Amino acid sequence: ENPPVKRYAEGFKAGVEGVCPTCTVGVTYTGDFGNTNNIGPTTAQAAMAGGADVIFGCGGFTGSQAIKYASSSAASAVGLSRTGPAAYVIGVDADAWVSTFESGAVDGADRVITSALKKVDTAAAFLVDSLLSDTFEKGTSTLGAQQDGVDYASCHDACEIVIHDFLRVAALAKACLSFDIQLGFNEDGTVPSGVVAPSTAQCDASTSLPPSPLAALTFAIITLPLQRSLHS
């Protein structure tokens, strides 16, 4: 239960609640980033057996192998057999369609809805700028959506399915950036008691979205800024 991973999980749950209060989100912590004993695909297999339609795989190689397994149309993938339809998937940190799915060359790339992006380039530029301008301060700097610290990737091969959501999501993101929407997660990724997921109506009623994983992820990104500790 690594704090950054917990923030991803809680942010996505909050996003789902914001656009679909009747939807269910299941969270499983594997305690492993290296896909030991193929734990990523095994965990995805269990989630899909339980009815999961979308897999948001966080946690290094474990997460990337989980979404590769879940999105595959083959009878077996990454060393594990499967039955039933493939799931839609969401990547994490970088654009999974480019990395894990090799720019569309890997089976299942057409089911990668998007990826939650940590804009490490923005964080690096922020650090360099602060050093050059002599404004650097050690500690934690928070780079949220307003600072271009977090974002979501293109729908790529899945655009045919989710393009209408993408257009609406762009409008939602633009409207929400003018608001200070914070869920106030603790540093360890837990949610303080009494915190309630905000509604998209807080931004602009005209940008309300139908329930969808893309809308949920986008609202989660808007409400959950990326934090990086910068030390001298």
Side-chain angles (χ1 to χ4, degrees):
E1 296 187 29
N2 176 284
V5 173
K6 290 182 71 174
R7 286 196 289 270
Y8 267 131
E10 295 298 337
F12 187 70
K13 286 171 61 180
V16 171
E17 291 173 10
V19 298
C20 183
T22 60
C23 293
T24 301
V25 178
V27 178
T28 301
Y29 295 104
T30 65
D32 182 89
F33 280 81
N35 197 39
T36 304
N37 297 322
N38 221 17
I39 194 169
T42 300
T43 302
Q45 182 185 56
M48 294 167 70
D53 301 300
V54 179
I55 302 294
F56 180 24
C58 306
F61 192 54
T62 297
S64 65
Q65 294 304 289
I67 63 173
K68 184 181 288 188
Y69 168 82
S71 63
S72 175
S73 61
S76 65
V78 289
L80 189 65
S81 62
R82 41 163 304 179
T83 59
Y88 287 97
V89 299
I90 297 172
V92 71
D93 296 342
D95 188 341
W97 183 87
V98 174
S99 56
T100 302
F101 292 86
E102 300 176 15
S103 297
V106 174
D107 178 43
D110 60 332
R111 302 184 76 84
V112 182
I113 298 173
T114 185
S115 298
L117 303 179
K118 290 181 180 177
K119 301 294 288 292
V120 180
D121 55 342
T122 298
F126 172 80
L127 174 59
V128 172
D129 287 345
S130 68
L131 289 170
L132 292 177
S133 62
D134 199 28
T135 57
F136 174 81
E137 295 180 3
K138 67 178 180 179
T140 300
S141 295
T142 299
L143 305 178
Q146 289 178 320
Q147 296 79 30
D148 194 34
V150 291
D151 204 349
Y152 57 92
S154 167
C155 47
H156 297 294
D157 295 338
C159 282
E160 183 176 344
I161 299 169
V162 299
I163 189 60
H164 294 298
D165 273 353
F166 250 84
L167 295 176
R168 292 192 178 192
V169 157
L172 171 64
K174 182 177 180 180
C176 285
L177 288 183
S178 63
F179 287 75
D180 183 20
I181 303 175
Q182 297 290 336
L183 294 184
F185 291 120
N186 295 323
E187 283 295 311
D188 64 355
T190 58
V191 182
S193 60
V195 169
V196 179
S199 167
T200 54
Q202 287 182 252
C203 303
D204 184 345
S206 67
T207 60
S208 59
L209 296 167
S212 74
L214 180 60
L217 179 68
T218 301
F219 202 54
I221 287 172
I222 291 169
T223 57
L224 186 63
L226 166 67
Q227 291 186 328
R228 279 289 177 267
S229 295
L230 306 177
H231 300 285
S232 60

